[in-house]
Amino acid sequence: MKNYIYITIVILFATRQQTIAQQGQAKLLSTITSPAGNYIYLLGPDVLSGPDSLIMKRTDRFIIERVDYDSVKNSAKSESSMREVGTAKTVSSIKELRSFISASDIEDMKSNFKLKTDQDLVDFFQSRYGAGRYSLYYKAIEVRMAMGHVFFDKDVQPGETVLYRITRVDKDKSKQLWGNAIVQSKVGNYTLQYLKPIEGARELSDSSITLTWKLYVNENQVAKMPRPKSKFVADKEGRVFRVPFPLSELRGKVNILKDGAFVEDAKLLPVLNLAGDTATYTYFGKTTSDEAVSVYMNLEDEVYNQGRSSDTATVFSVTNRTIPLIFGIKVNPIVDGIHLTWKQLPAKPYIRGIEIVRLNSQNKLDSIGVLPVTDTTYNDYATAIGQHYVYQVKAVYLPGLNVEQKKPAEGAGQMTIFSKPSTPYNLAATGESKNVRLNWEVNDQPAFFGFYIYRGTSPKHMTLIAGPVKTKTFLDSAQSLSGRSRYYYAVVNQNLRQDTSTYSNVVDIRPSRKINITPPADVHFYYVNGKLDIRWKDIRESDNVIESYVLQKKKKTDASYIELKLQPNSVAYADSLIESGITYQYRVAAVADNGEISEFS
């Protein structure tokens, strides 16, 4: 209660009631609101000792009057507009006490105060005026209402600004203006939106869990929190939105998941550190072994305004003594790899998976990864010939449980069995500039070593030209490739033990390279029956790349030749388009089957 603030103000009321015995200076009382209504704190820290503790012994009740602030803020008739909305006084019967405090809490108080009957508890309230006699019970707003220290006004509308006048009535019937209060109704506690509890330490066993949350509660931070807007002109002085209790008194409400829904399980009081700036909330819950518990805590002030929640934590009642472990593994060679097996772990939600670590002959550590918890085998194909491997297998658990399998199960093995290499397929050959590009496909295998390329001018006679090739493509750029020849290619696959596959499909291609063919050496012609017969030797018989010929003609005086159309496979031409006395020139070139044309004769 250290931050109660007392402010001396000039009384707002222009008139004076004759029934008030002492006018003097009135206190501006602290208030707080919740969605249920407005709470007016009639007493400050002096209730523990000092004048208020003596005054309360003489006090019969407090009379609370109210008026809408907007209707009187510019008027001198505020006092005449006041109407009584209730009284605050110490309970005098068990019926009144039960209107504030639940039956279970009444029994709890009787037990702790060593009282036998309900009337004994009523008498206790009637004779104990100070907070110290109630210990932690005084932190409950219901107890303070039952003592007459707090008045609750629920008959207000959200957002309306209300002016209260509080009159103290003495046991001798005299009256005293006790204080005033002004509040914007049902707006809640604005500070809660800026505070969030953060999960701290966990302690887990197979029969209980202990969780803590931390909250930074330096009171200086309240001044930095933006206050809600208010129509009250004195809001800048903090009179409307002023929290009457320190942040360090915020309670923690623990919510736990049961049957698919979160329900309230406990309310926690904070414990301050020595510096007074951090509050710790500690929750202890009984559990059964392996039980999963999902829990979060949200803040709540003493009038039940709800604050922000912590992140939800899911914990399990497990210890290193109770967690399932992998105790042994079997390691055996398989085709192209090593096979690991172990006994299946039970399906526990706190087991994250199974971690496998491998060490090679040089003790190089290599984490293979984390497998699903349901797995019982693993095939390791990323192995090499001659390497001796040591495998470590262990269960891994969700972070935050503070448990681990400290000693993994171990086993050793080597790769000693290899499959026959698969045959490459879909081999294709394409021209790439003056070279030959080969592409193919193959079924990948763990023991792959490389591909070997074969070439020849006959599909029945091919020789090795390259290997091992690690990719599924090869460029044949040999200088010996000739455009005159058709080449045949095939690819084989080899594994780590030098076993080889059969040939792939065979493909053929002629490189796009210059052939350097020569034209017919001589062209012969003679004139008969008005036609000039032109003939040349057919050199296709000696050069099988020649496919046809080109014959051109021009008059001696012409600058360029024209091409004459030859019959297919022809080595002669009868030219009737000639004139007497004109000199004609003819020339012949050979054409290869790739379209290349030789020089002219």
Side-chain angles (χ1 to χ4, degrees), residues 65-69 71-72 78 81-83 161-164:
E65 298 171 286
R66 184 186 71 203
V67 67
D68 179 69
Y69 175 77
S71 66
V72 300
S78 59
S81 301
M82 287 281 181
R83 66 180 182 87
T161 303
V162 182
L163 177 66
Y164 292 97

Side-chain angles (χ1 to χ4, degrees), residues 20 61 80 123 219 235 241 262 399 553 562 598:
I20 297 179
R61 66 188 184 279
S80 60
D123 293 342
E219 294 300 323
D235 181 37
F241 300 111
F262 280 96
K553 154 193 174 180
I562 62 172
S598 73

Side-chain angles (χ1 to χ4, degrees), residues 347-378:
K348 300 294 185 180
Y350 55 83
I351 304 178
R352 186 165 63 92
I354 298 168
E355 183 183 57
I356 301 178
V357 172
R358 179 183 64 196
L359 293 91
N360 63 15
S361 298
Q362 290 75 43
N363 280 331
K364 180 181 179 182
L365 189 66
D366 180 19
S367 177
I368 292 176
V370 177
L371 306 182
V373 67
T374 54
D375 284 6
T376 59
T377 64
Y378 178 76

Side-chain angles (χ1 to χ4, degrees), residues 117 122 151 576:
T117 67
V122 173
F151 177 76
S576 60

Side-chain angles (χ1 to χ4, degrees), residues 428-494:
T430 55
E432 188 171 304
S433 183
K434 63 178 182 178
N435 305 314
V436 175
R437 169 67 68 181
L438 300 177
N439 293 286
W440 61 91
E441 298 179 58
V442 72
N443 295 325
D444 293 332
Q445 291 175 291
F448 167 77
F449 176 70
F451 300 104
Y452 289 85
I453 317 300
Y454 288 80
R455 181 186 68 205
T457 55
S458 166
K460 295 181 179 180
H461 299 91
M462 292 184 289
T463 57
L464 178 66
I465 63 169
V469 175
K470 301 297 184 179
T471 59
K472 300 172 188 176
T473 185
F474 175 74
L475 181 67
D476 187 2
S477 58
Q479 293 294 322
S480 60
L481 291 177
S482 170
R484 287 181 169 274
S485 301
R486 180 164 293 275
Y487 296 94
Y488 295 85
Y489 292 90
V491 178
V492 298
N493 185 10
Q494 188 180 92

